[in-house]
Amino acid sequence: MFGIDKRVLNFFVIVILSFITFWWTFFIFHLPFSYDVVLGVICIRLIASLLIFKDYSMSWSKATQKTFLIKSIVYIVAFIVYMPIYYGNHRLAFMASELAFYLFAINFSMYAYYYFINRCKINKTKVVVIYGAGKAGIKLEEEFRNSEYKIKYFVDDEKILQKRTIDAIPILSKKVLKRKMAKEKYDLLVIAMPSAQKERIKQIYNSLNSFFKEIRVLPSLEEILENKDFSSQLKDITVEDLLARHPQDLDKQKIQDFIKDKVVLITGAGGSIGSEISRQCKKYGAKKLILLDHSEFNLYKITEELGCSSVIPVMQTVRNLGFVENTFKKYKPQIVIHAAAYKHVPLVEENVIEGISNNIMGTKNCIDLAIKYEAEKFVLISTDKAVRPTNVMGTTKRICELYAQNVKSNKTEIVAVRFGNVLGSSGSVIPKFKSQIQNGGPITVTHPDITRYFMLIPEACELVLQAASIGKGGEIFILDMGEPVKIVDLAKKMITLSGNDDIKIEFCGLRAGEKLYEELLINDSDKKTDYDSIMVAKPTPYEIDKLNDDINELLVCKDKIKKLKEIVPEFTHKA
């Protein structure tokens, strides 16, 4: 402003405002104006501004609540200095009244300047509603001031906040918002609740989706970056947000006690499940992580991501007994988590011998070596497709379960954990649908009635570790996957979220070995554990010498399907 240093202007403001506030105070107290008092107080205020908190150099255009507080402290300290000087000549009420008027004038002037400089110069063309009137919502309201969005309402579930306002913006309940929006549709709803569970986000979305053109959500507290604007971190609602379910009985202390300071070997460490288990083991304090995978790229990727000296990559296939034995001999793992497997149903149907070799023999190799080298715990990752299987992949995993339950384990506790589909894993339906939507459709669904269980990968993996921590050996644990989801409904949700309602859905028929629905329990006699999210299956006895003979025969016989049916009588092959 006129080329004058704004720190000098601050002194100028002190002088002008002091003259004005003293003139008014002398007037209302019916006293003659005293230049001696005014000049004396101005001098002390200038010195206080110079010495305390560098008040003279504070930027008014970047003022915060703390700035206003500092201003008040500076001039109250000045008051404490000059009040004894003038106490005999002027009443305390006179001096205190002038101070109150001065504090109001200086803070009002500063806020008016701040508001004028920072006022939005952008034309407001869109309407936004913020769900959540907490700290995150207020920060977003500040950031939206300089955007094209006009904030119409806040919405909050706390009754104590409802019917109040933030900067003159009303805070409503969800019920009142829906009533007000009965005949109109706003541009954007922002869900500013970083501590909310995904189940709550899903409820809000389902309730308010029809009232907004777009819904965006602030990331969770774990994901949010504090040094970036919240508005730049808003993300679209994803199908993972809508399908996710958070187990309420996750015992992180139990998992930490199980993993901390242990040497952990993870097979299939580069896959969707294996890589997440690797992350979790690092998070929970594993002493050393031996990451084993036959894929060079996947192993490189997870090793680079974890990036520490305690992570050791081993590029091997679990089918090579000699190579894997060298790894066991060298690192002596205390915990072995076996995630390596071929899991894609149609591919294994076309490659039966490879499926048997990798899934059955690979698992058998790892279990036998864990027993030989006295690992404390062996954890087999299994699948809901092992329950009354209709395909080769599920049957091979069921044989793995039988081996894990019945082998003579000596000092090693061997457990299996069975669960359904995980959201976003390689080869799963969600990435496929996303790709089809990006290409303009159509989305292909095998059958109108096909259903599947779903769970987020991180939650599934934490529950795997929790189940493993409570296992004593011989159990097959089953994760509670909630209610099954119709795949056609999933496709419809993804089309809605994409904003392209023109995309069609086509039904292409069940593939070889595919079920209409999956099961997690073989019978109703399965027992509960201390955790509602984890059940334990009734054991299935199988004489181990006979099972070994059957597996050996399976490897050399010509009719693999027939032999698989002998080992797993409930196997009904749908070729």
Side-chain angles (χ1 to χ4, degrees), residues 443-461:
I443 287 182
T444 54
V445 179
T446 55
H447 194 282
D449 298 323
I450 193 168
T451 63
R452 289 293 181 266
Y453 291 100
F454 287 100
M455 182 180 278
L456 283 177
I457 294 177
E459 290 153 7
C461 291

Side-chain angles (χ1 to χ4, degrees), residues 224-238:
I224 205 163
L225 302 174
E226 291 186 3
N227 58 345
K228 288 185 66 178
D229 287 347
F230 281 11
S231 57
S232 68
Q233 298 183 64
L234 293 174
K235 61 188 185 80
D236 293 329
I237 294 280
T238 65

Side-chain angles (χ1 to χ4, degrees), residues 476-517:
I476 297 177
F477 292 105
I478 301 154
L479 304 187
D480 176 18
M481 302 290 292
E483 295 300 316
V485 176
K486 286 188 76 170
I487 300 301
V488 69
D489 292 341
L490 171 62
K492 289 175 182 176
K493 278 184 180 177
M494 292 184 69
I495 290 170
T496 301
L497 289 171
S498 74
N500 186 356
D501 294 333
D502 295 331
I503 291 176
K504 305 296 182 186
I505 297 174
E506 292 182 358
F507 298 102
C508 57
L510 291 174
R511 297 170 297 181
E514 194 168 40
K515 287 182 177 181
L516 269 181
Y517 60 93

Side-chain angles (χ1 to χ4, degrees), residues 259-266 281-282 285-291 308-312 330-335:
I259 295 294
K260 190 173 176 59
D261 296 328
K262 300 285 179 65
V263 178
V264 183
L265 168 64
I266 302 163
C281 287
K282 181 184 177 184
K287 178 182 177 182
K288 189 178 288 185
L289 280 176
I290 317 301
L291 307 185
C308 61
S309 58
S310 62
V311 175
I312 300 168
K330 183 176 181 179
Y331 297 109
K332 299 288 194 305
Q334 295 162 280
I335 298 170

